[in-house]
């Protein structure tokens, strides 16, 4: 049986490793460094953009745990472990919280034990699966054992949707929401070129050259992902403007190419 390390392709860049490199991590290879450097030449604001996407996840997770009482989370497209991870954020508020992480990148799998350091009162699990196969996620032993479908769930889809191309995108989000009970929440970030179209367009072209096609959405398209759900204030906005803290002061809108929102399932 092949291990996670046997599946890691170091000959081509990978989005999770490029993200890790740009944010100052250490789990990447030369090919990811070269790709990340090229992207940052196209758009020097890329590190700020990526950091604010991560900070949105922290604020949204904390908001759901602290203000909405959510105690179980499904995190799709987890990425490489970067402290604080989602379980660290929500278990700081509510130690009994459970988090199921999902990613299909073998390098994430290789480091998944860092995602499994739960508080004694709570629990975490890691599912090696792809968002394109939601039934594998929802049918996994980890999901079935940790997620109770008579209690609200926080579905987190952060920094991955721009790699899910139409027409699959809406269908996959809906399929993941389908079994979750009323009172569950969707926290979603959506890539856009609305604020720096030339620079972000060049970054998207660089991703495509590296074999990672992207779909960037305008505001009406981004908002359509929440059809049928109850958007919470402030609605769909750039991620640094969603319930911002002091660290968001002074950020230039042109440095952020991501919409974000949290919505409740009625």
């Amino acid at each position: 049986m092949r291990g996670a390390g046997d599946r890691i392709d170091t000959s081509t860049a990978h989005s999770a490793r490029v993200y890790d490199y740009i944010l100052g991590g250490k789990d990447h290879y030369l090919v990811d460094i070269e790709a990340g450097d090229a992207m940052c030449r196209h758009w020097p604001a890329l590190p700020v953009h990526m950091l604010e996407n991560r900070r949105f996840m922290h604020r949204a997770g904390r908001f759901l745990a602290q203000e909405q009482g959510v105690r179980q989370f499904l995190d799709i497209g987890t990425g490489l472990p970067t402290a604080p991870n989602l379980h660290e954020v929500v278990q700081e508020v509510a130690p009994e919280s459970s988090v199921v992480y999902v990613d299909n990148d073998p390098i994430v799998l290789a480091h998944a034990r860092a995602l499994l350091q739960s508080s004694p009162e709570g629990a975490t699990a890691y599912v090696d699966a792809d968002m394109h196969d939601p039934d594998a996620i929802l049918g996994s032993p980890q999901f079935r054992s940790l997620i109770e479908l008579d209690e609200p769930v926080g579905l987190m889809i952060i920094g991955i949707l721009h790699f899910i191309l139409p027409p699959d995108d809406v269908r996959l989000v809906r399929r993941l929401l389908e079994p979750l009970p009323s009172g569950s929440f969707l926290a979603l970030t959506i890539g856009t070129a609305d604020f720096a179209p030339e620079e972000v367009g060049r970054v998207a072209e660089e991703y495509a050259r590296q074999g990672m096609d992207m779909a960037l959405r305008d505001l009406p398209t981004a908002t359509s992902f929440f059809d049928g759900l109850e958007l919470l204030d402030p609605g769909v906005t750039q991620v640094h403007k969603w319930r911002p803290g002091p660290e968001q002061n002074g950020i230039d809108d042109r440095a952020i190419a991501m919409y974000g929102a949290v919505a409740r399932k009625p």
Side-chain angles (χ1 to χ4, degrees):
M1 179 176 175
R2 299 175 69 195
D6 298 322
R7 291 167 41 200
I8 297 172
D9 180 2
T10 61
S11 65
T12 58
H14 190 283
S15 58
R17 301 194 309 254
V18 172
Y19 189 88
D20 175 78
Y21 165 64
I22 291 175
L23 288 184
K26 61 184 188 312
D27 297 310
H28 49 262
Y29 298 95
L30 179 60
V31 66
D32 307 301
I33 294 172
E34 293 171 344
D37 286 346
M39 291 169 192
C40 289
R41 284 195 296 272
H42 292 310
W43 190 36
L46 186 58
V48 176
H49 157 82
M50 287 184 168
L51 179 60
E52 288 306 314
N53 180 69
R54 183 81 183 174
R55 285 173 166 172
F56 170 88
M57 184 271 285
H58 294 157
R59 295 196 306 281
R62 187 173 295 109
F63 166 78
L64 291 177
Q66 195 162 48
E67 299 189 34
Q68 301 298 322
V70 177
R71 297 293 180 264
Q72 45 186 3
F73 295 82
L74 177 61
D75 184 14
I76 307 293
T78 298
L80 284 156
T82 305
N85 294 293
L86 178 62
H87 72 279
E88 294 164 319
V89 172
V90 301
Q91 289 180 351
E92 183 179 7
V93 174
E96 70 275 22
S97 298
S98 298
V99 178
V100 175
Y101 292 109
V102 179
D103 208 297
N104 72 327
D105 178 9
I107 199 170
V108 178
L109 174 62
H111 293 272
R113 60 183 172 277
L115 300 170
L116 303 178
Q117 304 301 312
S118 173
S119 68
E121 303 93 333
T124 63
Y126 181 85
V127 181
D128 181 19
D130 193 319
M131 184 173 168
H132 284 98
D133 189 1
D135 291 338
I137 298 168
L138 299 171
S140 67
Q142 298 91 330
F143 178 88
R144 294 165 68 90
S145 64
L146 245 61
I147 302 296
E148 298 179 7
L149 292 177
D150 55 353
E151 295 291 337
V153 178
L155 173 60
M156 315 289 285
I157 305 177
I158 307 296
I160 186 176
L161 195 62
H162 45 282
F163 295 117
I164 306 294
L165 305 182
D168 290 336
D169 46 4
V170 174
R171 176 185 64 82
L172 293 171
V173 172
R174 293 294 170 207
R175 179 67 187 100
L176 289 166
L177 272 171
E178 183 182 344
L180 308 186
S182 173
S184 294
F185 293 87
L186 170 65
L188 182 64
T189 64
I190 304 141
T192 183
D194 283 357
F195 302 94
E198 292 185 9
E199 297 91 334
V200 175
R202 289 195 295 268
V203 171
E205 290 171 2
E206 185 65 39
Y207 268 106
R209 276 194 292 272
Q210 300 287 343
M212 297 173 280
D213 291 334
M214 297 178 70
L216 300 169
R217 280 88 174 189
D218 59 14
L219 181 57
T221 305
T223 303
S224 70
F225 284 98
F226 300 95
D227 288 351
L229 305 176
E230 300 168 358
L231 273 168
L232 278 60
D233 289 337
V236 181
T237 186
Q238 283 176 285
V239 288
H240 67 300
K241 295 181 175 180
W242 192 89
R243 300 177 180 258
E247 64 270 26
Q248 277 70 53
N249 290 340
I251 293 175
D252 188 339
D253 289 357
R254 292 171 298 178
I256 305 299
M258 197 79 80
Y259 287 117
V262 175
R264 181 182 181 276
K265 181 178 178 178

